[in-house]
Amino acid sequence: MPPKKAVKEEKILLGRPGNSLKSGIVGLANVGKSTLFQAITKCSLGNPANFPYATIDPEEARVIVPDDRFDWLVDQYKPKSVVPANLTVYDIAGLTKGASTGAGLGNAFLSHIRVVDAIFQVVRCFDDAEIIHVEGDVDPVRDLDIISEELRLKDIEFTEKALEKLVKETRRGGQSLEMKKLKEEQATVEKILEMLKAGKDVRRGDWAPKEVEVINPLFLLSAKPVVYLVNLSEKDYIRQKNKHLPKVANWIKENAAGDPILPVSVSFEERLTAMTDEEAEEECKKVGTKSALPKIVTTMRKVLNLGSFFTTGTDEVRQWTIRNGTKAPQAAGVIHGDFEKTFIQVIVYNFKILKEEGDEAGVKAKGKILTKGKDYVVEDGDILLIKAGAAKS
């Protein structure tokens, strides 16, 4: 008999499977977090104070996602209404050494970071005698070690509590399916704890789908994807050189290989936000650089594994956010919950094809408008027309 085909296990991602995911700006006190938040969200929180804990409650804002495809569609259809995609960003209070045990605003910080899905970690690499450093001097590698350790220590606390609860349950013994499941969960939690105590982040592990199902409800801080933002002086950002950069790059290579690292000058971005778009463009040309903000937003969407589909027409052009790998009924549900329940089919073509052909009529003439059913996996850049039945009242 021919050997049975191995069933391919579907990969499950760490984190919530939603499409309204949130990112938090994190770092030690006085590294430029609140100023970056103001620049990235184009909103003012007042002047960030020059002392730790100027930001006590997490501030929230929605940031428009820059996308040339959306701009092209708006130009093509000239609709009455436009709705771009956005990313929700939080500015979170500064962390300090000992936060895991409640030092400074430790407990508040760690509860706020627990509810976000991904982290922008701001690392200070600029010298400025007027802006005090909570640890006394500028040492980005030390700062990276502090944040990494504090997040892991808190994760150890969460994991130990979860393990304690599971051990109480499994002590009862027995051969039921429920007991088997509990013992498997316990083995996974023990594996997580061992990894954390060895000084490794949960997101660096190679986890099976069943293990991910145990990890996700724990909302572990070190399981969240991270984008490292290296905050440079304006001069260093323009010349793309800084004495601390090689050490930071080396730390990330050793401790967080594969995580994105982006240079940014928060002081430069702050200066640009005070200008009109035309003035900012002219200033960037003059100094020979560009704003890092669009790349920061698009990189975060990438690490969250987010993609987009579009709905188009003369009434509205809208960009919808989904997790990559989403099937058509669930994508329809992002537009309206009833559409997922009553989904019939989807008419689809991709933006790349539309741009190649010039307009919808050209796509149709080439026979590239497709009709797909419930198993269709929506691709980034798809333009969709959902067909659904009437919702039951």
Side-chain angles (χ1 to χ4, degrees):
M1 284 182 71
K4 281 186 180 177
K5 276 189 180 177
V7 178
K8 193 182 175 186
E9 251 187 324
E10 201 170 323
K11 189 171 171 63
I12 300 175
L13 297 166
L14 287 172
R16 293 189 307 141
N19 46 54
S20 55
L21 303 182
K22 301 165 186 159
S23 304
I25 301 176
V26 168
L28 295 184
N30 288 359
V31 296
K33 298 181 315 303
S34 295
T35 311
L36 173 67
F37 178 82
Q38 288 179 33
I40 210 168
T41 58
K42 302 284 193 290
C43 69
S44 176
L45 309 174
N47 290 323
N50 180 24
F51 56 86
Y53 325 129
T55 311
I56 293 171
D57 294 312
E59 300 284 346
E60 177 187 358
R62 284 183 177 170
V63 185
I64 290 174
V65 175
D67 195 319
D68 291 340
R69 300 172 302 180
F70 179 77
D71 298 340
W72 190 92
L73 289 167
V74 168
D75 195 48
Q76 180 82 357
Y77 286 93
K78 297 181 174 48
K80 294 170 193 165
S81 164
V82 297
V83 186
N86 60 65
L87 181 72
T88 302
V89 179
Y90 282 82
D91 175 32
I92 298 173
L95 183 70
T96 50
K97 197 169 185 176
S100 56
T101 55
L105 292 166
N107 290 328
F109 168 92
L110 292 161
S111 66
H112 293 151
I113 196 176
R114 231 183 151 195
V115 301
V116 301
D117 301 284
I119 297 166
F120 285 120
Q121 189 166 316
V122 182
V123 186
R124 177 172 169 175
C125 286
F126 66 89
D127 294 303
D128 188 331
E130 290 183 15
I131 302 175
I132 58 168
H133 192 292
V134 73
E135 289 294 316
D137 63 343
V138 175
D139 182 349
V141 169
R142 176 206 56 216
D143 296 355
L144 285 161
D145 281 333
I146 288 171
I147 292 176
S148 186
E149 188 182 359
E150 291 301 329
L151 298 188
R152 269 200 310 276
L153 285 170
K154 202 66 188 174
D155 276 354
I156 288 170
E157 188 188 312
F158 294 142
T159 309
E160 283 177 338
K161 281 179 185 169
L163 183 58
E164 201 180 311
K165 196 177 168 189
L166 281 164
V167 168
K168 277 182 189 172
E169 301 254 14
T170 55
R171 270 201 198 120
R172 293 184 284 121
Q175 300 297 318
S176 67
L177 285 172
E178 186 196 353
M179 186 53 66
K180 187 188 172 199
K181 188 170 179 281
L182 285 168
K183 283 180 179 174
E184 284 173 358
E185 279 183 33
Q186 185 179 324
T188 300
V189 173
E190 283 167 349
K191 186 177 165 184
I192 296 165
L193 193 56
E194 193 182 323
M195 188 176 189
L196 288 165
K197 286 185 172 176
K200 292 175 185 167
D201 291 337
V202 172
R203 72 181 186 282
R204 310 248 60 92
D206 186 18
W207 304 103
K210 278 189 178 178
E211 291 174 320
V212 174
E213 285 173 6
V214 176
I215 295 167
N216 283 346
L218 296 173
F219 299 108
L220 297 174
L221 308 176
S222 70
K224 300 175 190 297
V226 178
V227 174
Y228 292 92
L229 303 178
V230 182
N231 188 8
L232 308 171
S233 68
E234 189 170 326
K235 182 185 171 187
D236 285 356
Y237 175 70
I238 290 165
R239 66 188 188 131
Q240 294 286 291
K241 278 185 183 177
N242 175 277
K243 63 183 178 184
H244 299 295
L245 269 178
K247 291 176 191 170
V248 171
N250 198 45
W251 187 95
I252 290 168
K253 190 180 174 184
E254 286 178 12
N255 298 277
D259 287 352
I261 170 171
L262 300 175
V264 60
S265 171
V266 172
S267 59
F268 178 62
E269 300 297 346
E270 183 183 30
R271 199 158 67 78
L272 291 182
T273 55
M275 303 176 186
T276 65
D277 289 349
E278 291 76 15
E279 286 169 345
E281 199 177 326
E282 197 55 45
E283 180 62 18
C284 286
K285 275 182 191 170
K286 187 176 140 191
V287 298
T289 191
K290 56 185 177 182
S291 167
L293 300 186
K295 194 170 184 184
I296 288 171
V297 176
T298 53
T299 302
M300 183 52 81
R301 266 174 65 93
K302 196 175 176 184
V303 302
L304 281 167
N305 199 35
L306 297 175
S308 296
F309 72 88
F310 302 94
T311 50
T312 57
T314 51
D315 281 340
E316 181 183 81
V317 167
R318 187 163 183 152
Q319 184 170 3
W320 304 87
T321 300
I322 51 169
R323 262 280 174 76
N324 289 322
T326 299
K327 289 188 176 176
Q330 288 70 48
V334 173
I335 298 174
H336 196 291
D338 286 343
F339 290 176
E340 182 175 353
K341 295 173 201 162
T342 62
F343 178 89
I344 298 169
Q345 62 185 27
V346 62
I347 293 164
V348 57
Y349 55 96
N350 198 273
F351 173 80
K352 285 179 191 169
I353 296 162
L354 177 66
K355 198 173 178 190
E356 278 168 22
E357 301 303 332
D359 58 23
E360 208 173 312
V363 179
K364 200 170 187 177
K366 288 280 176 79
K368 291 182 177 177
I369 295 181
L370 309 172
T371 301
K372 296 286 183 179
K374 290 182 178 181
D375 289 332
Y376 178 71
V377 176
V378 178
E379 290 183 18
D380 184 45
D382 273 353
I383 297 164
L384 304 182
L385 175 62
I386 311 286
K387 293 200 170 181
K392 290 176 185 174
S393 55

